[in-house]
Amino acid sequence: MIRSVLKGTGSALPKQVVSNAELAKRVDTSHDWIVERTGIHQRFIADETETTSTLAIDAARRAIEAAGVDAESIELIVLATSTPDQTFPASATIVQNALGCNGCIAFDVQAVCSGFLYAISVADAMLKAGQAKRALVIGAETFSRILDWEDRTTCVLFGDGAGAMLLDAEDNGEDGPGILASRLHADGAHNELLYVDGGPSTTQTVGHLRMQGREVFRHAVKNLASVLGEVLDDAGKQPSDIDWVVPHQANRRILDATAKKLGLPLEKVVVTVKDHANTSAASVPLAFDVAWRDGRIKSGDLVMLEAMGGGFTWGASLLRV
Ligand code: UT7
């Protein structure tokens, strides 16, 4: 039984930290409002020398180093982003060139905040199908570049960053490590609740993020609880079997509400939204890397990854580390 086994993780953040207090000087908001409604205290914002691909390259290098492998041995790069360096080519090809594994498969996937779940599911399927033996899966974003910095309802919520996982196709038997089950969904009926008001084929501009937060919140809790149940059923597991949940870090209240719906104790949920804000496709691998490096997530743990975002898209993966 071939599974995609985690060999190393890495993450990267821009140099510049922006506090809630600093944002309160630019728009009509306050530290207390942001903390009470979201749990966010600060976010990292890319400067002019940092881009989605530079963050992705740094995160990838750390994952490669943690795995103790040579970059040239990577056969597949899947990069999840909605804020690529260029409309084309894929940012994955920029990362590939910097790492020196030219010639391997490299492409981007775009599923907004669920992007990493889409990327890891696609990589898992390709590893299982024998199209590659070693994959680098990255979530990287510079959402600061598509925010309307005068819209207080959105600009306080997001930050920049990247996270990466290195996966190997291995056969370690039924009880071995690896991705046990994944589920993905999309529902294009809700485009107007979370979207960017520009693009190459419409306005020929990059556009700005627009969101009806309260509506998104409602759908997020419902969709996440249901996809987590599906993945647990597929893997034949119970909520009580889970050691850690690494959720998309959009809002502390969504994390709490989803955990409550599943009857999961909050101590099992990795929460980094306070420090990073919502980094879209980067948030799950970034939070995973933090909890892996500080020793919370250990070898043998059963970890649920989950996310919901624009599209709407949502998904979850259950991973034995
Ligand atoms: O990553 C993709 C998924 N995205 C999400 O999951 C985001 C989901 N949504 C949310 O996290 C929350 O809905 C928000 C944090 C965006 C908003 O929280 P809320 O409790 O749903 O607030 P609200 O939108 O209902 O706004 C409440 C009030 C409004 O004022 P009125 O109409 O009651 O007078 C807003 O205008 O808060 C006001 N408000 C603000 N006040 C101070 C909105 N943004 C701000 C702000 N500072 N930054």
Side-chain angles (χ1 to χ4, degrees):
M1 175 184 297
I2 293 187
R3 285 206 184 117
S4 306
V5 178
L6 181 66
K7 294 292 172 178
T9 79
S11 61
L13 290 160
K15 296 183 281 296
Q16 188 186 182
V17 182
V18 177
S19 68
N20 291 343
E22 285 167 81
L23 284 184
K25 291 182 200 153
R26 298 169 74 155
V27 287
D28 181 16
T29 190
S30 66
H31 174 73
D32 290 348
W33 189 95
I34 300 170
V35 172
E36 189 194 314
R37 301 292 175 125
T38 71
I40 297 166
H41 286 230
Q42 61 171 43
R43 70 284 297 141
F44 290 79
I45 301 292
D47 69 20
E48 63 283 357
T49 67
E50 294 162 321
T51 66
T52 291
S53 73
T54 68
L55 295 169
I57 291 161
D58 288 347
R61 288 206 169 111
R62 285 171 195 146
I64 291 164
E65 192 188 346
V69 301
D70 289 331
E72 301 83 66
S73 64
I74 293 164
E75 297 180 349
L76 167 67
I77 300 175
V78 189
L79 191 156
T81 190
S82 300
T83 47
D85 287 21
Q86 297 160 280
T87 302
F88 80 79
S91 295
T93 61
I94 302 172
V95 174
Q96 180 205 50
N97 192 45
L99 297 178
C101 45
N102 304 59
C104 79
I105 309 166
F107 60 95
D108 290 358
V109 300
Q110 207 271 50
V112 203
C113 298
S114 317
F116 190 78
L117 273 302
Y118 270 71
I120 200 168
S121 297
V122 168
D124 179 39
M126 291 180 75
L127 288 174
K128 281 186 180 144
Q131 285 181 281
K133 288 198 180 62
R134 175 162 290 160
L136 181 63
V137 186
I138 307 169
E141 302 276 18
T142 45
F143 258 48
S144 62
R145 306 271 158 76
I146 55 164
L147 294 175
D148 175 350
W149 286 100
E150 291 181 357
D151 175 10
R152 68 173 183 173
T153 69
T154 53
C155 76
V156 303
L157 303 173
F158 295 89
D160 302 332
M165 290 187 182
L166 194 118
L167 302 170
D168 274 0
E170 280 181 3
D171 186 348
N172 296 304
E174 178 75 26
D175 298 325
I179 296 172
L180 306 186
S182 298
R183 284 277 191 129
L184 300 173
H185 293 282
D187 182 356
H190 303 292
N191 185 301
E192 82 289 356
L193 298 181
L194 178 50
Y195 66 102
V196 168
D197 62 5
S201 182
T202 49
T203 58
Q204 299 87 56
T205 62
V206 172
H208 289 120
L209 182 149
R210 306 291 173 205
M211 177 165 74
Q212 295 181 35
R214 192 176 285 184
E215 279 301 301
V216 176
F217 192 112
R218 204 170 54 77
H219 284 275
V221 176
K222 179 170 68 73
N223 292 342
L224 288 172
S226 95
V227 76
L228 293 184
E230 287 170 8
V231 170
L232 285 171
D233 283 351
D234 287 352
K237 303 287 181 194
Q238 305 295 321
S240 56
D241 295 325
I242 298 174
D243 293 300
W244 290 104
V245 181
V246 183
H248 171 48
Q249 309 283 322
N251 184 321
R252 175 79 217 216
R253 286 154 55 218
I254 296 179
L255 308 190
D256 294 351
T258 311
K260 200 170 158 201
K261 241 184 160 170
L262 280 172
L264 280 168
L266 288 176
E267 305 78 63
K268 289 190 171 186
V269 182
V270 175
V271 183
T272 57
V273 67
K274 177 171 176 267
D275 297 324
H276 302 155
N278 181 346
T279 58
S280 185
S283 90
V284 168
L286 182 50
F288 189 102
D289 188 54
V290 169
W292 170 264
R293 283 173 193 266
D294 70 19
R296 270 179 287 172
I297 298 177
K298 294 184 195 63
S299 189
D301 282 353
L302 192 63
V303 183
M304 181 71 88
L305 315 177
E306 47 104 321
M308 143 94 192
F312 289 140
T313 55
W314 63 103
S317 283
L318 190 63
L319 168 74
R320 175 78 67 194
V321 179

